[in-house]
Amino acid sequence: MSISHSPYVRCFWTGTLYLTNGKVMPIHCTHISTQMIEVEAPEGLQGSKLVKLELKAIHEGKTATLKILCDPQLDVFNEHNKHYIKLSYHTISNKDREFIKEFADAHS
């Protein structure tokens, strides 16, 4: 079953970003779709080509821990002294993608 693209919507979920050098950072999501996610982090990607993201997702009272392997697309130091990081999904379960789709469709 292929899951269609969802709208790109504002999102305030929190989570953890794991870099390939072993660094672990708290992040919060700013935008999400079934294809991409944007997060704010205290530090940059430090050369990581693939990162693991764990998100504490919530939608209409349902909670889920989404575990996604991501390919970094952009890492910019922003005006809030945070790193704005755009990621595309490398590996994500259909269940997690469906949860994101429900959330995004409801918030578009």
Side-chain angles (χ1 to χ4, degrees):
M1 167 181 112
S2 104
I3 297 175
S4 62
H5 293 353
S6 72
Y8 209 45
V9 299
R10 294 280 294 149
C11 178
F12 301 98
W13 297 340
T14 59
T16 308
L17 191 63
Y18 299 85
L19 305 185
T20 48
N21 66 2
K23 182 101 183 147
V24 178
M25 296 187 270
I27 56 92
H28 72 266
C29 178
T30 62
H31 290 83
I32 197 165
S33 76
T34 53
Q35 306 299 311
M36 306 199 75
I37 185 167
E38 292 171 25
V39 301
E40 259 191 1
E43 295 179 52
L45 294 168
Q46 302 166 17
S48 292
K49 299 287 181 242
L50 192 66
V51 295
K52 184 173 108 180
L53 180 64
E54 279 187 12
L55 273 181
K56 291 183 204 65
I58 184 162
H59 176 55
E60 293 179 349
K62 290 187 295 194
T63 59
T65 299
L66 311 183
K67 295 183 181 183
I68 310 166
L69 282 179
C70 300
D71 297 303
Q73 302 299 316
L74 182 72
D75 178 358
V76 177
F77 193 65
N78 70 18
E79 69 275 13
H80 308 295
N81 293 327
K82 301 260 193 218
H83 282 263
Y84 168 83
I85 301 171
K86 191 172 197 173
L87 305 162
S88 63
Y89 304 144
H90 185 86
T91 308
I92 181 172
S93 72
N94 281 342
K95 180 171 68 77
D96 288 354
R97 198 182 302 259
E98 192 56 47
F99 194 96
I100 293 166
K101 180 167 174 37
E102 284 176 25
F103 173 85
D105 287 348
H107 290 83
S108 62

